[in-house]
Amino acid sequence: LEFSNSMCKIAWCLMVLATCWHRGHAEEGKNLQSLGHISMVIVGGTGDLAKKYLWQGFFHLYATEVAKSYTFSFYGGGLVSAEKGTPLLFGILKGLTCPPELTAERCALVKDQFLRLSQYVQVKTSEDYGRLSQQIQQQLEQEGLAEAGRLFYMSIPAFAYADVAEKINSSCRPSAGAWLRVVLEKPFGHDLGSAQILATQLGAFLLEEEMYRIDHYLGKQVVSQILPFRKKNNKFLEPIWNKHHIERIEIVLKETLDCKGRIQFYDQYGVIRDILQNHLTEIMTLTMMNIPANLSNSKEILQNKLQVLSGLEQLDKSSVVIGQYQGYTAEVQEELNKTKDYFSLTPTFAGVVIFTSNPLYDGIPIFMTSGKMLDERVGYVRVLFKNNMFCIQDYNSVQCKPQQIIFYLGHGGLQYPAILVSKNLFKPALVNSGWKEVTERKDISILGLALSDYHIQTPAEPREAYYELISKVLHGRRHSFVSTENLMASWAFWTPLLDSLAHTFPRPYPGGKANSDLLNFHLHSRQVTFVSEALVNVIQQGQEENFQVMQGKYRSAEMVSAWAKELVVRLASDLQGAAEEALQNHGQFHLALSGGSSPIALFLQLALHQYTFPWSSTHVWLADERCVPPTEVDSNFRSIHDQLLHNIRIPYFNIHPMPVQLNERLCVEEDGGALLYENEIKRHINASSFHYILLGVGQDGHTASLFQDSKLDDHGETLVTLTESPVKPHRRMSLTFTAINKAHRVGVLVMGKRKHELITQLSRIKGESYKYPITKVQPTNGNLTWYIDYDALLG
């Protein structure tokens, strides 16, 4: 009887288990049906990228998702026929490897299933895309599946994106209620203009939420955890993640390979477009953006990234150093069939310093650098903190060592991806359950610290970037991709620098360890330069080296001439001499500066090299101003601020911008801005006589903002007036000739070959000419000096 009861109990338990099992599988089937079927298409499915990364990523995705509530089909699309394409595709698929967590038996089963679900299709015409859509729809009906969505991965050149998007839109959209997601590989244009054109073309066929611009660095495990790490450790980071504690940020990607095999692409793009504008810029936004309240909120994350991009200060040639490895031009000549005298200006190395106007990071230099043929393959973000500890002895004490956080992308000395926090900062929490602490300590150093001086965490299992990102496309996590708005902001930031470098010769470097210190660069104020001098063969353009600074007469006034660089050095020295004389005689130096492009080099010379200039006793005024808000790039004050005032120590009350914006209006006569500035001059300057006024001269002969039609003789004793320019922005404010001719000294700076004809014309004019307002500059009791470079003087 006891045996019989026991058997009954066992039978009852088995029945319960069986019921639970059936219920569980019925529920899974229900979920399977509710979430539906996904069709995944790689357009360019037998190409190099698909072969190396994409099919492996799709297979890992399938191996992860197969036990969940989606069903899948996979298509490799190409231009050739199915007869030719099918063997190519299955040659790729047979080489797929399973995720390490799968057993050999499970691996074989999953791989067999994946092969059965994959096929090659020709996608050349709109009719081809229509047939693919019919095939998908037929499968859904036969198997009783609901369509969840269609994913198209564009593994094709960017010039074909719009054409394929048009075909998808017209012939292969999913059924109502299902989503469409189209993945796009870089490049997304080569400058702001081309990116805008491409975005407009794509926008005609795809909605913004349907486009997933992929940057595979955002799929790297360490990069994807920068935000989660910052949020998880915010109680430690929030007090120190700012300009008061961060000394610098370094974003580095070094490569040892050359460009062979990629020259067709690389010579059009170069290192800045290939690496800095996308990969490293995206990493920078993750490092500096405000931490979102919800890490799953794509809209908030993308908006916070955009705020970082919009706050970056404009770059110019002084913000960058560029180089090119010595064998590059020979590779270009060979692969592009160029002649032996062809020389490429494409940089293969770049080092850039970036600053932001964001008050949280104001003044922190962000170094961004990448290059080919360097000494090691490594990538990292290094946040170095200020260490105010001064150690008298025991220098190896942990408190005396650098304080830093490193997001280490892999390779290099460490070999694996990791987040490292120096022990003199804090012990970080693990970013998530898929990460582990590293207890093993190799006998190596990473960026100045032994491994034993770091808390280290690393992913428990390595994951390929493409798998991570394909998974995020599947789940619609748009924040791991580049939005149209963010793409335009990035190109708007980088394009002016790229334009300025178009005709710049990169520094040659031999490659590898032989580079030594040749590519090291340093920051002085906000300008970067190479540390070491390089011996470069330069084609002599003339007898420039034989010309020193020359003095003579021009229009009966003093003239100083030299090549541009020497001329600027001389003018800066003369300005300092005038300042020191004014201080000795009057206790203050009143300097009025003009806008335009000519004095920019002078401003940088004054800021970076005139170390003893008496700025604390100098008042800076404007000779003229455009009627635009002072924050706009057209503003003379903005130019003077960015190139000079921002880089020197000068009392706030010694800076006198022209009041062109009053009552939220620009240069309205009733607001009396000109009179306000005149009264300010009279209040500060004895007899309204500036110690020095620096002027330029336009090709039409105007100076300051005094043009031919400015009623030059109607100003009387007025010192400041509103004028009209023949070019936009038309409205201007300017010192009058009365104010200019009262000055103790006036300098006129003329530079560039475009001014040669003007200089020739002016040399023939005696006295004043209404056609050329500059001729009315005749200081009553002061000195006039012309500073003319040889390009303008000799043509």
Side-chain angles (χ1 to χ4, degrees):
L1 185 62
E2 287 180 4
F3 175 78
S4 186
N5 287 338
S6 297
M7 290 300 292
C8 287
K9 288 180 180 179
I10 291 170
W12 183 81
C13 289
L14 288 173
M15 287 176 62
V16 171
L17 287 171
T19 302
C20 291
W21 186 88
H22 282 294
R23 283 180 180 171
H25 276 256
E27 190 65 31
E28 182 179 319
K30 180 181 177 184
N31 288 341
L32 191 69
Q33 191 174 9
S34 65
L35 289 183
H37 184 81
I38 297 173
S39 305
M40 297 190 169
V41 185
I42 301 179
V43 183
T46 57
D48 193 52
L49 179 67
K51 182 178 181 179
K52 286 182 177 178
Y53 300 109
L54 299 185
W55 283 111
Q56 190 65 59
F58 276 88
F59 176 51
H60 277 214
L61 176 72
Y62 176 72
T64 305
E65 297 284 340
V66 67
K68 298 179 183 177
S69 301
Y70 285 111
T71 59
F72 297 93
S73 55
F74 300 90
Y75 301 90
L79 299 178
V80 300
S81 66
E83 290 75 19
K84 293 181 179 179
T86 298
L88 294 175
L89 175 61
F90 282 92
I92 296 170
L93 299 185
K94 287 176 183 177
L96 298 176
T97 58
C98 289
E101 62 267 22
L102 293 189
T103 64
E105 184 181 1
R106 178 67 176 163
C107 172
L109 175 64
V110 171
K111 188 172 180 180
D112 182 64
Q113 290 173 342
F114 185 77
L115 289 171
R116 291 173 185 274
L117 294 172
S118 303
Q119 64 175 295
Y120 178 88
V121 291
Q122 186 177 36
V123 283
K124 191 174 183 178
T125 65
S126 295
E127 290 75 20
D128 291 333
Y129 281 90
R131 280 189 287 272
L132 173 59
S133 186
Q134 291 171 5
Q135 184 177 337
I136 293 171
Q137 195 61 41
Q138 187 177 2
Q139 180 189 357
L140 294 170
E141 293 170 0
Q142 288 175 348
E143 299 181 19
L145 301 171
E147 184 168 26
R150 298 182 189 181
L151 188 158
F152 287 84
Y153 199 114
M154 301 267 212
S155 181
I156 54 177
F159 65 77
Y161 285 171
D163 180 60
V164 174
E166 189 275 331
K167 290 180 172 68
I168 293 171
N169 179 59
S170 63
S171 307
C172 206
R173 277 191 170 272
S175 54
W179 49 254
L180 171 67
R181 291 170 189 157
V182 179
V183 184
L184 306 163
E185 277 277 353
K186 78 176 183 75
F188 314 120
H190 63 269
D191 58 13
L192 179 58
S194 59
Q196 287 172 329
I197 291 170
L198 180 58
T200 301
Q201 291 173 337
L202 290 170
F205 309 115
L206 301 172
L207 301 175
E208 175 67 19
E209 59 268 25
E210 293 173 338
M211 289 185 278
Y212 286 69
R213 293 183 185 85
I214 198 167
D215 186 322
H216 72 270
Y217 269 70
L218 292 177
K220 289 185 177 292
Q221 287 173 286
V222 167
V223 175
S224 67
Q225 294 303 315
I226 291 176
L227 268 185
F229 173 85
R230 291 179 57 198
K231 190 174 182 71
K232 196 79 173 282
N233 295 282
N234 195 44
K235 67 176 181 180
F236 300 114
L237 292 174
E238 195 274 334
I240 63 172
W241 206 260
N242 54 61
K243 65 183 180 183
H244 302 297
H245 295 87
I246 295 176
E247 181 178 314
R248 62 202 285 175
I249 297 172
E250 301 169 5
I251 307 172
V252 175
L253 177 63
K254 300 202 295 183
E255 298 181 84
T256 56
L257 295 176
D258 56 24
C259 299
K260 287 180 182 176
R262 291 188 72 216
I263 293 294
Q264 184 85 37
F265 164 83
Y266 198 90
D267 202 53
Q268 297 178 57
Y269 286 83
V271 66
I272 296 178
R273 290 180 173 93
D274 188 37
I275 302 294
L276 275 68
Q277 179 274 328
N278 39 72
H279 304 324
L280 302 195
T281 299
E282 285 294 322
I283 292 173
M284 177 181 66
T285 61
L286 292 171
T287 307
M288 299 175 63
M289 64 183 277
N290 292 336
I291 299 174
N294 182 355
L295 291 181
S296 298
N297 188 328
S298 293
K299 185 176 180 180
E300 184 181 3
I301 290 175
L302 291 171
Q303 192 60 40
N304 289 1
K305 281 186 174 185
L306 186 61
Q307 288 175 359
V308 174
L309 294 170
S310 62
L312 299 177
E313 295 183 2
Q314 187 173 347
L315 298 175
D316 58 36
K317 290 177 73 171
S318 69
S319 309
V320 62
V321 289
I322 57 173
Q324 183 191 95
Y325 66 81
Q326 287 177 341
Y328 178 78
T329 288
E331 293 169 7
V332 173
Q333 291 169 356
E334 180 181 352
E335 291 192 30
L336 301 184
N337 295 318
K338 299 291 186 180
T339 59
K340 290 298 181 182
D341 60 350
Y342 177 81
F343 185 83
S344 173
L345 295 181
T346 300
T348 61
F349 167 85
V352 180
V353 65
I354 299 169
F355 290 91
T356 176
S357 59
N358 184 327
L360 197 63
Y361 303 107
D362 182 31
I364 298 175
I366 303 142
F367 292 99
M368 192 179 284
T369 188
S370 183
K372 299 280 189 181
M373 292 287 285
L374 301 182
D375 59 320
E376 64 175 337
R377 181 187 181 191
V378 69
Y380 61 83
V381 182
R382 180 195 193 197
V383 183
L384 179 66
F385 294 87
K386 299 173 184 177
N387 190 348
N388 295 323
M389 182 69 68
F390 184 79
C391 297
I392 301 299
Q393 59 188 61
D394 191 15
Y395 302 111
N396 289 324
S397 165
V398 68
Q399 296 304 322
C400 300
K401 296 178 179 179
Q403 297 180 330
Q404 56 195 16
I405 296 173
I406 300 167
F407 300 101
Y408 198 88
L409 276 57
H411 305 290
L414 196 57
Q415 289 299 307
Y416 56 83
I419 299 175
L420 302 93
V421 180
S422 58
K423 289 182 176 178
N424 51 14
L425 277 175
F426 60 88
K427 180 175 173 56
L430 282 175
V431 288
N432 63 47
S433 58
W435 283 55
K436 64 181 181 181
E437 277 196 72
V438 176
T439 53
E440 166 201 19
R441 291 289 187 265
K442 297 179 183 177
D443 187 20
I444 61 170
S445 293
I446 300 294
L447 296 178
L449 282 181
L451 281 190
S452 57
D453 290 324
Y454 287 108
H455 298 295
I456 306 173
Q457 51 183 285
T458 189
E461 295 288 346
R463 293 281 190 188
E464 280 294 328
Y466 278 99
Y467 159 73
E468 295 284 342
L469 290 173
I470 292 168
S471 175
K472 287 173 180 176
V473 177
L474 175 67
H475 296 291
R477 294 170 185 161
R478 291 185 49 78
H479 56 269
S480 295
F481 301 86
V482 183
S483 70
T484 301
E485 194 173 14
N486 287 36
L487 175 66
M488 297 309 151
S490 176
W491 273 124
F493 173 67
W494 286 104
T495 296
L497 176 66
L498 290 164
D499 290 344
S500 73
L501 294 174
H503 304 292
T504 301
F505 284 82
R507 165 175 287 196
Y509 60 94
K513 294 189 181 299
N515 296 332
S516 186
D517 67 345
L518 198 60
L519 297 179
N520 290 350
F521 58 95
H522 64 163
L523 177 67
H524 184 77
S525 185
R526 298 198 169 205
Q527 184 175 17
V528 290
T529 55
F530 284 118
V531 173
S532 64
E533 291 295 324
L535 295 175
V536 182
N537 291 325
V538 178
I539 300 172
Q540 296 297 327
Q541 299 295 331
Q543 300 298 316
E544 299 182 12
E545 286 71 25
N546 297 330
F547 282 89
Q548 302 299 319
V549 176
M550 295 170 51
Q551 289 189 254
K553 292 286 184 178
Y554 179 75
R555 289 186 48 78
S556 303
E558 297 297 322
M559 179 185 71
V560 176
S561 294
W563 292 110
K565 184 176 181 181
E566 290 78 10
L567 185 69
V568 165
V569 171
R570 170 61 182 269
L571 177 52
S573 177
D574 288 354
L575 275 171
Q576 181 160 343
E580 291 168 350
E581 180 183 331
L583 259 62
Q584 187 174 359
N585 296 332
H586 306 284
Q588 289 182 323
F589 179 52
H590 289 278
L591 170 65
L593 298 172
S594 288
S597 58
S598 294
I600 289 177
L602 172 67
F603 297 158
L604 292 172
Q605 176 70 25
L606 288 169
L608 304 178
H609 302 292
Q610 300 299 124
Y611 304 112
T612 58
F613 198 100
W615 292 114
S616 60
S617 301
T618 296
H619 286 254
V620 174
W621 303 78
L622 267 68
D624 68 319
E625 180 58 287
R626 297 176 172 91
C627 292
V628 297
T631 55
E632 290 192 5
V633 292
D634 281 340
S635 166
N636 288 344
F637 177 75
R638 167 73 185 270
S639 176
I640 294 169
H641 173 271
D642 290 354
Q643 308 298 336
L644 177 63
L645 301 177
H646 193 67
N647 298 315
I648 61 176
R649 291 181 176 271
I650 184 169
Y652 174 80
F653 292 105
N654 286 16
I655 301 170
H656 306 274
M658 281 184 160
V660 294
Q661 189 172 28
L662 296 171
N663 303 319
E664 300 184 5
R665 302 190 294 187
L666 292 169
C667 293
V668 175
E669 298 221 18
E670 303 91 87
D671 294 333
L675 183 59
L676 282 173
Y677 205 58
E678 179 169 328
N679 290 336
E680 190 173 357
I681 292 170
K682 290 177 178 177
R683 191 162 56 249
H684 286 87
I685 302 175
N686 184 33
S688 302
S689 299
F690 288 94
H691 296 116
Y692 202 111
I693 297 178
L694 179 66
L695 299 173
V697 56
Q699 287 176 264
D700 61 354
H702 82 271
T703 190
S705 282
L706 300 168
F707 301 90
Q708 286 184 29
D709 300 323
S710 297
K711 299 180 181 179
L712 303 180
D713 299 322
D714 294 350
H715 298 142
E717 293 302 309
T718 302
L719 303 178
V720 185
T721 187
L722 294 177
T723 67
E724 291 287 333
S725 165
V727 296
K728 292 183 179 180
H730 297 296
R731 200 74 164 143
R732 307 288 179 92
M733 185 179 290
S734 179
L735 296 182
T736 64
F737 286 115
T738 301
I740 292 170
N741 290 328
K742 280 187 175 190
H744 295 275
R745 283 189 174 89
V746 177
V748 181
L749 178 60
V750 189
M751 299 174 72
K753 290 184 178 181
R754 293 183 304 168
K755 302 289 178 68
H756 174 63
E757 185 177 346
L758 172 71
I759 290 299
T760 303
Q761 290 292 334
L762 290 176
S763 69
R764 298 168 181 165
I765 297 172
K766 305 298 181 185
E768 296 181 12
S769 168
Y770 178 79
K771 184 178 178 181
Y772 297 99
I774 185 66
T775 60
K776 293 182 69 66
V777 176
Q778 299 175 16
T780 308
N781 296 307
N783 297 319
L784 170 62
T785 304
W786 291 78
Y787 292 85
I788 309 175
D789 77 348
Y790 288 142
D791 280 332
L793 191 66
L794 305 176

